[in-house]
Each structure stands twice: as C-alpha cells, then as structure tokens.
Amino acid sequence: MSTATESRAPGRGGLLPAFAAVRVRLGLVALLFAAAALAWWWTADQMRGMDDGPWTALGTLSWFVGVWVVMMAAMMLPSVAPTVALYSRMTRRRSPVAPLAFTMGYLLAWASVGALAFALATIAGRVPGDFLAWDRGGRWIAGASLLAAAVYELTPLKDVCLGKCRSPLGFLLGSWRDGSIGGLQMGIRHGGWCIGCCWALMVSLFALGVMSLGWMAFVAALIAFEKLIPSRRLATYGTTAVLLTLGMLLLLAPDAVP
C-alpha cells in the first residue's frame, strides 16, 4: 500500500506544476484580452464624433501616436496573446517581467508605424486640391489600397511574415534574448514581423477611415482570422477573397460599402 502511494505521489507532484503553468498562461491570455477590451473602450471614447470618413484629420502628433498605440493594443493583443503566453511560460523562472517587456516592445514597434503614418498623412494633406476627398480621388485610392492588400497576401514576403506570426515557438527559439531587455528586443522584432504581415491592411484602414471603429473592427477581425485559424491556406486565400471583393465593390459599386 505504501509503495503504491509513493508511486502515485510523484505523479501528483508532476501534474501540479503543469496545472499551475496552464493557469498562469490562461490568466495572462485573459489579462491581454481584458487590456484589449479596455483599449477598445478608451478608443471609442476618444474617437466619439471624430469619424469624418476616410482621411480624417489626425490631430497633433503626440495625441495621434497615443491613440494609435491604444488602437494597436485593441486590435493586436488578441492575436499576439498566444505568443506572449508561450514566452511567459519559457521565462517565468528567469525573468517574470520579461512578458511585459515583450508586449511593450511589440507596441513600441507599432508606435513607430503610427509616427511614420502621421508624417505621411501630414505631407499628403498639404498637397493642394483636396485630391483625397471621397468624391474625388479618395474612393479610388481606398479601392486600390484594398486590391493592393489582396495582391500582397499572395506574395512570398507576406508568406514569410505570416509564418513568423503563426509559429510563435519557431520565432521565440530563433530570436531568443535573455532578460527584460532581451524581452523588449524580441517584442520589437516580433512587432516588425507583424508590421510586415499587416502593413497593407493598415494602409487600407487609413484609406477607409482610421477614426472609424467599424473599420478598425473589420481590420482587426481579418488580422485575427489569418493569424489564429488552424488552416494557413484558408487564412491566406480567405483574407485575399475578402479584400478583393471589398476593393472591387468600392470601385464598381461604392454605395454598397459603408
């Protein structure tokens, strides 16, 4: 009897850390989703009354970059949650704050995109003639950006970037850096791969209306779809079909698109 009890004890001892690790990962994922929900709420509050359609005025640089980072948290944290959770499991004994540094580095990479987008939008806004107006060139630019995003889905560069996003273990093992600073660097690098994966969708978001919660949700859903569904082929071709259809509608039947 005692021998059987002793033989079962290591089994229980071995399972307890596994259950604890699962709880930690689920807790971290829940925290990231809660942060995303809070970011959505804050974004909706800040953008109230600002949705003037495509190419809406972006305000000051500091205000826009701040809102942009919160927007990226709302849109990206759900799809990056599995990577952060896996990274947390791999570093929980050596550096408990490394997952936070990883997440901050990821958002820092997207903040640089926001600053660049603001600079380009400012330059475009100074071109005389208001060619970005929806009843002039705006609709055509938006439709072309969606078609370009659809074509980009089928390129080798997109395939490589999407592979990094869909295979968190491969990315983490291939880019490993120790400590909190290492976590920050890895987060920036992962954010870079994500930017390579999603930049065309973000261009489309600007063309459709960057201050529109509806279009934000649409783009966020596409990003989550192509990063999280099991079938990579379905992710690529499904996203391509959606973008191609929407782009053609904008060019041929604009009244059918909000």
Side-chain angles (χ1 to χ4, degrees):
M1 180 68 70
S2 62
T3 302
T5 303
E6 290 173 0
S7 64
R8 286 195 299 268
R12 291 198 301 269
L15 288 175
L16 288 176
F19 286 136
V22 170
R23 287 197 300 270
V24 169
R25 291 183 67 186
L26 290 177
L28 180 59
V29 170
L31 179 63
L32 291 173
F33 272 80
L38 181 62
W40 276 107
W41 171 82
W42 189 89
T43 303
D45 182 69
Q46 292 294 309
M47 289 183 177
R48 187 175 293 116
M50 294 190 62
D51 183 13
D52 293 330
W55 310 109
T56 302
L58 303 182
T60 64
L61 174 62
S62 59
W63 185 88
F64 173 74
V65 171
V67 172
W68 174 263
V69 171
V70 177
M71 284 172 56
M72 293 304 100
M75 297 173 65
M76 300 298 184
L77 287 185
S79 60
V80 81
T83 302
V84 178
L86 179 60
Y87 180 65
S88 174
R89 182 181 179 185
M90 297 169 70
T91 61
R92 66 183 184 276
R93 293 182 179 178
R94 288 172 289 183
S95 180
V97 300
L100 177 60
F102 184 97
T103 306
M104 295 301 295
Y106 181 85
L107 293 177
L108 183 62
W110 277 107
S112 66
V113 173
L116 176 62
F118 182 90
L120 294 176
T122 300
I123 294 172
R126 292 178 178 174
V127 176
D130 196 21
F131 75 99
L132 294 177
W134 191 252
D135 57 351
R136 295 187 180 181
R139 173 169 66 91
W140 299 97
I141 294 173
S145 70
L146 287 165
L147 294 180
V151 172
Y152 181 65
E153 288 288 323
L154 305 176
T155 63
L157 177 59
K158 169 71 179 193
D159 186 62
V160 171
C161 294
L162 183 60
K164 296 290 184 180
C165 294
R166 288 177 56 90
S167 178
L169 181 60
F171 166 77
L172 292 174
L173 293 178
S175 307
W176 190 262
R177 299 290 186 277
D178 289 323
S180 298
I181 299 300
L184 183 70
Q185 293 173 339
M186 291 174 67
I188 293 173
R189 180 171 294 186
H190 190 63
W193 286 114
C194 190
I195 292 166
C197 185
C198 304
W199 69 268
L201 285 172
M202 291 304 165
V203 172
S204 299
L205 178 60
F206 271 87
L208 292 166
V210 72
M211 296 299 176
S212 167
L213 285 178
W215 286 118
M216 268 184 62
F218 171 78
V219 172
L222 277 183
I223 291 171
F225 171 79
E226 70 176 2
K227 287 185 179 181
L228 299 179
I229 67 166
S231 173
R232 183 167 174 173
R233 178 173 294 183
L234 179 59
T236 297
Y237 290 110
T239 304
T240 301
V242 171
L243 293 171
L244 185 62
T245 300
L246 187 58
M248 293 303 296
L249 280 175
L250 268 177
L251 296 178
L252 302 177
D255 292 339
V257 180

